[in-house]
Amino acid sequence: MYLDFKFGQANCEAFQTGEQLLVALANQDLGSALVESWDFPALQARQGNRFHWLEGQGFRIGACAVPVNPSNLQAQTQACYTELLAVCREQALYRIWNFVPQINEVPTGSIENYQVFCKGRSLAFEAQYGAGFDLKLPAASAVGTNGSHLLVVAVTGEGEALHLENPDQTPAYRYPATYGPRPPSFARATVCTKAGLPKLFISGTSSIRGSRSIGTSTTEQLSITLENLNKIEGAYLRQQATSVPYARRIRVYLRNPEDKAIVAEQLAQDYLKDRDEVFYLHADICRKELQIEIEVTLL
Protein backbone atom coordinates (compact mmCIF):
# COMPACT_ATOMS: atom_id res chain seq x y z
CA MET A 1 0.00 0.00 0.00
CA TYR A 2 1.09 3.57 -0.55
CA LEU A 3 1.30 6.86 1.27
CA ASP A 4 1.34 9.50 -1.45
CA PHE A 5 2.04 13.20 -0.97
CA LYS A 6 0.53 15.14 -3.87
CA PHE A 7 1.91 18.66 -4.23
CA GLY A 8 0.43 21.91 -5.51
CA GLN A 9 -3.19 21.33 -4.48
CA ALA A 10 -5.73 24.04 -3.58
CA ASN A 11 -5.87 22.98 0.08
CA CYS A 12 -4.46 20.35 2.42
CA GLU A 13 -6.53 17.17 2.48
CA ALA A 14 -6.19 13.54 3.53
CA PHE A 15 -8.27 10.65 2.20
CA GLN A 16 -8.12 6.98 1.20
CA THR A 17 -8.55 5.58 -2.28
CA GLY A 18 -8.23 1.82 -2.37
CA GLU A 19 -4.70 0.86 -1.28
CA GLN A 20 -3.57 4.47 -1.16
CA LEU A 21 -3.53 7.03 1.63
CA LEU A 22 -3.42 10.28 -0.30
CA VAL A 23 -2.15 13.48 1.29
CA ALA A 24 -2.83 16.59 -0.75
CA LEU A 25 -0.45 19.49 0.01
CA ALA A 26 -1.16 23.15 -0.69
CA ASN A 27 2.58 23.58 -1.26
CA GLN A 28 3.95 24.12 -4.74
CA ASP A 29 6.45 21.61 -6.08
CA LEU A 30 9.61 23.37 -7.27
CA GLY A 31 10.97 20.41 -9.22
CA SER A 32 9.42 18.00 -11.68
CA ALA A 33 7.86 15.43 -9.32
CA LEU A 34 4.22 16.15 -8.50
CA VAL A 35 3.86 13.12 -6.19
CA GLU A 36 6.13 11.73 -3.48
CA SER A 37 5.21 8.06 -2.98
CA TRP A 38 6.07 5.83 0.01
CA ASP A 39 5.58 2.08 -0.46
CA PHE A 40 4.72 0.04 2.65
CA PRO A 41 3.92 -3.66 3.23
CA ALA A 42 0.28 -4.73 2.98
CA LEU A 43 -1.94 -2.78 5.34
CA GLN A 44 -5.65 -2.45 6.00
CA ALA A 45 -7.55 0.81 5.80
CA ARG A 46 -9.52 2.10 8.79
CA GLN A 47 -11.39 5.34 9.40
CA GLY A 48 -10.99 7.15 12.70
CA ASN A 49 -12.63 10.34 13.93
CA ARG A 50 -10.25 12.81 12.29
CA PHE A 51 -7.58 10.41 11.01
CA HIS A 52 -7.51 8.06 8.05
CA TRP A 53 -5.41 4.99 8.92
CA LEU A 54 -3.49 2.27 7.14
CA GLU A 55 -2.54 -0.39 9.68
CA GLY A 56 -1.17 -3.89 9.99
CA GLN A 57 2.22 -5.63 10.00
CA GLY A 58 2.85 -4.04 13.41
CA PHE A 59 2.71 -0.39 12.37
CA ARG A 60 0.31 2.39 11.40
CA ILE A 61 0.28 5.27 8.94
CA GLY A 62 -2.23 8.01 9.72
CA ALA A 63 -3.20 11.36 8.22
CA CYS A 64 -5.75 14.03 9.05
CA ALA A 65 -6.60 17.48 7.72
CA VAL A 66 -8.84 19.75 9.77
CA PRO A 67 -10.05 23.31 9.10
CA VAL A 68 -8.51 25.88 11.42
CA ASN A 69 -8.63 29.60 12.06
CA PRO A 70 -6.85 31.88 14.55
CA SER A 71 -9.48 31.24 17.23
CA ASN A 72 -9.36 27.43 17.16
CA LEU A 73 -5.84 26.49 15.96
CA GLN A 74 -4.66 25.49 19.45
CA ALA A 75 -7.79 23.46 20.21
CA GLN A 76 -7.80 21.74 16.82
CA THR A 77 -4.10 20.90 17.09
CA GLN A 78 -4.59 19.47 20.56
CA ALA A 79 -7.61 17.45 19.40
CA CYS A 80 -5.72 15.96 16.43
CA TYR A 81 -2.77 14.97 18.59
CA THR A 82 -5.02 13.62 21.33
CA GLU A 83 -6.60 11.23 18.81
CA LEU A 84 -3.23 10.30 17.30
CA LEU A 85 -1.64 9.52 20.68
CA ALA A 86 -4.67 7.62 21.95
CA VAL A 87 -4.85 5.35 18.90
CA CYS A 88 -1.10 4.71 18.93
CA ARG A 89 -0.50 4.67 22.70
CA GLU A 90 0.86 1.09 22.56
CA GLN A 91 3.23 1.90 19.69
CA ALA A 92 6.36 3.97 19.26
CA LEU A 93 6.18 7.24 17.35
CA TYR A 94 8.62 7.27 14.42
CA ARG A 95 7.82 10.29 12.29
CA ILE A 96 5.27 13.15 12.16
CA TRP A 97 4.80 15.75 9.42
CA ASN A 98 2.85 18.95 10.18
CA PHE A 99 1.68 21.62 7.75
CA VAL A 100 0.39 24.75 9.49
CA PRO A 101 -1.62 27.40 7.60
CA GLN A 102 0.06 30.83 7.56
CA ILE A 103 2.63 29.59 10.04
CA ASN A 104 4.36 32.95 10.60
CA GLU A 105 1.26 35.14 10.89
CA VAL A 106 0.40 36.78 14.21
CA PRO A 107 -3.37 37.25 14.56
CA THR A 108 -4.52 40.36 16.41
CA GLY A 109 -4.06 39.96 20.16
CA SER A 110 -2.37 36.57 19.80
CA ILE A 111 1.02 34.96 19.22
CA GLU A 112 2.48 33.53 16.04
CA ASN A 113 0.49 30.66 14.56
CA TYR A 114 3.48 28.34 14.91
CA GLN A 115 3.68 29.06 18.64
CA VAL A 116 -0.07 28.44 18.98
CA PHE A 117 0.36 25.12 17.16
CA CYS A 118 3.31 24.17 19.42
CA LYS A 119 1.23 24.87 22.52
CA GLY A 120 -1.63 22.64 21.39
CA ARG A 121 0.74 19.83 20.41
CA SER A 122 2.66 20.03 23.69
CA LEU A 123 -0.50 19.97 25.80
CA ALA A 124 -1.66 16.81 24.02
CA PHE A 125 1.67 15.06 24.65
CA GLU A 126 1.63 16.09 28.30
CA ALA A 127 -1.93 14.87 28.79
CA GLN A 128 -1.06 11.46 27.29
CA TYR A 129 2.39 10.82 28.77
CA GLY A 130 2.79 13.18 31.72
CA ALA A 131 5.61 15.56 32.57
CA GLY A 132 8.33 13.33 31.06
CA PHE A 133 6.75 13.22 27.60
CA ASP A 134 9.96 14.45 25.93
CA LEU A 135 11.18 10.82 26.01
CA LYS A 136 8.39 9.89 23.59
CA LEU A 137 8.93 12.66 21.04
CA PRO A 138 9.78 11.48 17.51
CA ALA A 139 11.35 13.06 14.46
CA ALA A 140 9.02 15.71 13.04
CA SER A 141 8.74 18.79 10.89
CA ALA A 142 6.35 21.74 10.88
CA VAL A 143 6.28 24.14 7.95
CA GLY A 144 3.78 26.57 6.54
CA THR A 145 1.12 25.92 3.96
CA ASN A 146 -1.59 27.80 2.12
CA GLY A 147 -5.29 27.18 2.47
CA SER A 148 -7.17 26.75 5.73
CA HIS A 149 -6.43 23.17 6.86
CA LEU A 150 -3.94 21.90 9.42
CA LEU A 151 -2.42 18.65 8.13
CA VAL A 152 -0.83 16.00 10.38
CA VAL A 153 0.73 12.78 9.03
CA ALA A 154 2.26 10.14 11.33
CA VAL A 155 4.17 6.86 11.14
CA THR A 156 4.07 4.64 14.27
CA GLY A 157 4.91 1.03 15.04
CA GLU A 158 5.59 -1.75 17.52
CA GLY A 159 9.36 -1.81 17.03
CA GLU A 160 11.72 0.08 19.28
CA ALA A 161 12.34 3.75 18.51
CA LEU A 162 15.60 5.44 19.47
CA HIS A 163 15.44 9.22 19.41
CA LEU A 164 18.63 11.15 18.64
CA GLU A 165 19.76 14.72 19.36
CA ASN A 166 22.47 16.93 17.85
CA PRO A 167 25.04 18.11 20.43
CA ASP A 168 25.37 21.38 18.50
CA GLN A 169 21.67 22.14 18.93
CA THR A 170 19.56 22.56 22.03
CA PRO A 171 16.84 19.88 22.01
CA ALA A 172 13.79 21.62 20.59
CA TYR A 173 11.67 20.58 23.59
CA ARG A 174 14.08 22.58 25.80
CA TYR A 175 14.00 25.86 23.88
CA PRO A 176 13.66 28.91 26.13
CA ALA A 177 10.39 30.83 26.44
CA THR A 178 11.75 33.33 23.90
CA TYR A 179 10.39 30.98 21.23
CA GLY A 180 6.89 30.62 22.63
CA PRO A 181 4.87 29.59 25.69
CA ARG A 182 5.48 25.90 24.92
CA PRO A 183 8.60 24.64 23.09
CA PRO A 184 8.36 22.51 19.94
CA SER A 185 7.70 18.81 20.62
CA PHE A 186 10.08 16.75 18.50
CA ALA A 187 13.43 14.94 18.51
CA ARG A 188 16.15 15.72 15.96
CA ALA A 189 15.95 12.18 14.55
CA THR A 190 14.42 8.77 15.20
CA VAL A 191 15.97 5.38 14.50
CA CYS A 192 13.38 2.80 13.43
CA THR A 193 13.99 -0.94 13.84
CA LYS A 194 10.65 -2.12 12.44
CA ALA A 195 11.01 -4.19 9.27
CA GLY A 196 9.40 -2.61 6.23
CA LEU A 197 9.95 0.96 7.43
CA PRO A 198 12.82 3.41 6.76
CA LYS A 199 15.91 3.06 8.93
CA LEU A 200 16.24 6.66 10.09
CA PHE A 201 13.96 9.69 10.04
CA ILE A 202 15.80 13.01 10.41
CA SER A 203 13.55 15.90 11.38
CA GLY A 204 13.12 19.10 9.46
CA THR A 205 16.51 20.74 10.02
CA SER A 206 17.51 24.38 9.68
CA SER A 207 20.39 26.72 10.39
CA ILE A 208 20.21 26.65 14.19
CA ARG A 209 23.05 26.39 16.72
CA GLY A 210 22.05 26.02 20.31
CA SER A 211 18.59 27.54 20.05
CA ARG A 212 19.58 30.54 17.89
CA SER A 213 19.11 31.01 14.17
CA ILE A 214 22.44 31.48 12.37
CA GLY A 215 23.25 33.01 8.99
CA THR A 216 21.53 35.68 6.92
CA SER A 217 21.80 34.47 3.32
CA THR A 218 20.26 31.26 2.02
CA THR A 219 23.70 29.86 1.13
CA GLU A 220 25.00 30.52 4.66
CA GLN A 221 21.94 28.88 6.17
CA LEU A 222 22.22 25.91 3.82
CA SER A 223 25.85 25.27 4.82
CA ILE A 224 24.97 25.17 8.53
CA THR A 225 21.88 23.07 7.85
CA LEU A 226 24.04 20.49 6.07
CA GLU A 227 26.50 20.46 8.97
CA ASN A 228 23.60 19.66 11.30
CA LEU A 229 22.30 16.91 9.00
CA ASN A 230 25.75 15.35 8.66
CA LYS A 231 26.19 15.39 12.43
CA ILE A 232 23.00 13.39 12.98
CA GLU A 233 23.53 10.97 10.09
CA GLY A 234 27.15 10.40 11.11
CA ALA A 235 26.13 9.60 14.69
CA TYR A 236 23.59 7.07 13.41
CA LEU A 237 26.10 5.37 11.10
CA ARG A 238 28.72 5.11 13.85
CA GLN A 239 26.11 3.62 16.13
CA GLN A 240 25.07 1.03 13.53
CA ALA A 241 28.67 0.17 12.61
CA THR A 242 27.58 -1.09 9.20
CA SER A 243 28.66 -0.45 5.63
CA VAL A 244 25.40 -1.66 4.06
CA PRO A 245 24.49 0.80 1.25
CA TYR A 246 21.39 2.87 1.70
CA ALA A 247 19.35 5.41 -0.22
CA ARG A 248 18.15 8.77 1.08
CA ARG A 249 14.91 10.63 0.46
CA ILE A 250 15.40 14.36 0.91
CA ARG A 251 12.73 17.04 1.08
CA VAL A 252 13.88 20.65 0.79
CA TYR A 253 11.52 23.42 1.91
CA LEU A 254 12.29 26.88 0.51
CA ARG A 255 10.70 30.13 1.61
CA ASN A 256 11.72 31.81 -1.65
CA PRO A 257 11.22 29.69 -4.80
CA GLU A 258 13.91 31.68 -6.64
CA ASP A 259 16.52 30.15 -4.28
CA LYS A 260 15.97 26.69 -5.77
CA ALA A 261 18.70 26.88 -8.41
CA ILE A 262 21.48 27.96 -6.07
CA VAL A 263 20.38 25.49 -3.39
CA ALA A 264 20.26 22.61 -5.88
CA GLU A 265 23.75 23.49 -7.10
CA GLN A 266 25.19 23.60 -3.58
CA LEU A 267 23.48 20.35 -2.61
CA ALA A 268 24.85 18.59 -5.69
CA GLN A 269 28.34 19.81 -4.90
CA ASP A 270 28.46 19.31 -1.12
CA TYR A 271 25.87 16.74 -0.06
CA LEU A 272 24.03 14.55 -2.54
CA LYS A 273 24.95 10.93 -3.31
CA ASP A 274 24.10 8.78 -6.31
CA ARG A 275 21.06 7.05 -4.80
CA ASP A 276 19.47 10.16 -3.29
CA GLU A 277 15.97 11.28 -4.26
CA VAL A 278 15.27 15.00 -3.76
CA PHE A 279 11.99 16.93 -3.62
CA TYR A 280 11.80 20.73 -3.49
CA LEU A 281 8.73 22.44 -2.02
CA HIS A 282 7.73 26.06 -1.51
CA ALA A 283 6.95 26.59 2.20
CA ASP A 284 7.35 29.18 4.91
CA ILE A 285 9.71 28.02 7.66
CA CYS A 286 8.80 28.06 11.37
CA ARG A 287 10.98 31.14 12.05
CA LYS A 288 10.67 34.23 9.85
CA GLU A 289 14.43 34.66 9.57
CA LEU A 290 14.98 31.13 8.23
CA GLN A 291 14.96 30.60 4.47
CA ILE A 292 15.41 26.84 4.21
CA GLU A 293 14.61 23.60 6.01
CA ILE A 294 15.64 20.09 4.98
CA GLU A 295 14.45 16.69 6.14
CA VAL A 296 16.17 13.40 5.33
CA THR A 297 15.01 9.79 5.49
CA LEU A 298 17.40 6.84 5.22
CA LEU A 299 15.55 4.06 3.40
Side-chain angles (χ1 to χ4, degrees):
M1 301 187 82
Y2 295 91
L3 167 64
D4 286 348
F5 291 89
K6 189 174 183 180
F7 310 132
Q9 304 305 293
N11 209 344
C12 287
E13 296 182 87
F15 50 90
Q16 294 165 343
T17 56
E19 295 187 343
Q20 180 187 52
L21 179 55
L22 180 61
V23 174
L25 293 182
N27 294 75
Q28 189 64 43
D29 170 61
L30 300 178
S32 58
L34 298 178
V35 177
E36 179 184 311
S37 188
W38 299 68
D39 187 5
F40 293 99
L43 300 170
Q44 292 183 340
R46 184 172 72 84
Q47 179 63 48
N49 183 14
R50 295 173 177 82
F51 275 82
H52 302 274
W53 297 99
L54 297 178
E55 54 187 28
Q57 305 287 324
F59 62 90
R60 289 188 178 96
I61 316 295
C64 78
V66 295
V68 294
N69 58 56
S71 66
N72 70 6
L73 175 57
Q74 178 182 319
Q76 287 282 60
T77 301
Q78 189 169 351
C80 288
Y81 268 84
T82 296
E83 179 178 341
L84 165 63
L85 299 177
V87 170
C88 302
R89 62 183 175 271
E90 302 301 326
Q91 296 188 326
L93 300 170
Y94 296 134
R95 194 12 163 140
I96 303 178
W97 289 272
N98 305 278
F99 291 83
V100 183
Q102 293 77 52
I103 194 169
N104 297 135
E105 287 191 9
V106 182
T108 302
S110 183
I111 55 177
E112 189 179 56
N113 283 338
Y114 178 60
Q115 296 177 356
V116 175
F117 162 80
C118 284
K119 185 175 181 180
R121 174 174 59 174
S122 177
L123 288 170
F125 271 107
E126 185 176 63
Q128 178 68 42
Y129 298 118
F133 68 83
D134 55 287
L135 298 176
K136 301 287 188 178
L137 299 177
S141 56
V143 298
T145 190
N146 298 320
S148 60
H149 283 63
L150 168 69
L151 177 68
V152 180
V153 184
V155 181
T156 76
E158 295 174 354
E160 182 183 1
L162 173 64
H163 308 304
L164 304 179
E165 294 297 327
N166 180 351
D168 290 343
Q169 296 181 290
T170 303
Y173 49 82
R174 294 180 182 163
Y175 280 175
T178 308
Y179 299 103
R182 287 265 180 155
S185 301
F186 69 91
R188 298 294 176 189
T190 295
V191 180
C192 177
T193 59
K194 181 65 180 174
L197 295 182
K199 301 176 179 67
L200 177 70
F201 294 103
I202 302 180
S203 298
T205 300
S206 292
S207 182
I208 294 174
R209 289 283 172 77
S211 61
R212 296 189 303 113
S213 303
I214 303 294
T216 55
S217 70
T218 301
T219 53
E220 287 178 303
Q221 292 187 8
L222 175 57
S223 294
I224 297 169
T225 298
L226 294 181
E227 289 178 15
N228 287 330
L229 290 170
N230 285 327
K231 181 84 69 171
I232 286 288
E233 186 175 331
Y236 165 76
L237 294 175
R238 287 191 297 273
Q239 177 191 83
Q240 298 300 306
T242 179
S243 58
V244 175
Y246 58 90
R248 298 186 299 186
R249 174 165 291 178
I250 300 163
R251 194 187 286 176
V252 181
Y253 301 104
L254 292 171
R255 184 181 294 275
N256 301 308
E258 60 269 23
D259 287 337
K260 194 253 182 169
I262 191 170
V263 168
E265 180 180 359
Q266 190 170 344
L267 283 176
Q269 178 177 323
D270 299 335
Y271 186 69
L272 297 182
K273 301 176 182 178
D274 289 342
R275 299 179 65 192
D276 289 343
E277 184 179 19
V278 189
F279 298 86
Y280 294 88
L281 291 185
H282 180 208
D284 289 336
I285 314 304
C286 63
R287 296 184 186 181
K288 289 183 179 180
E289 67 272 16
L290 293 175
Q291 306 300 314
I292 185 170
E293 177 171 315
I294 300 176
E295 63 185 54
V296 180
T297 304
L298 273 62
L299 303 175

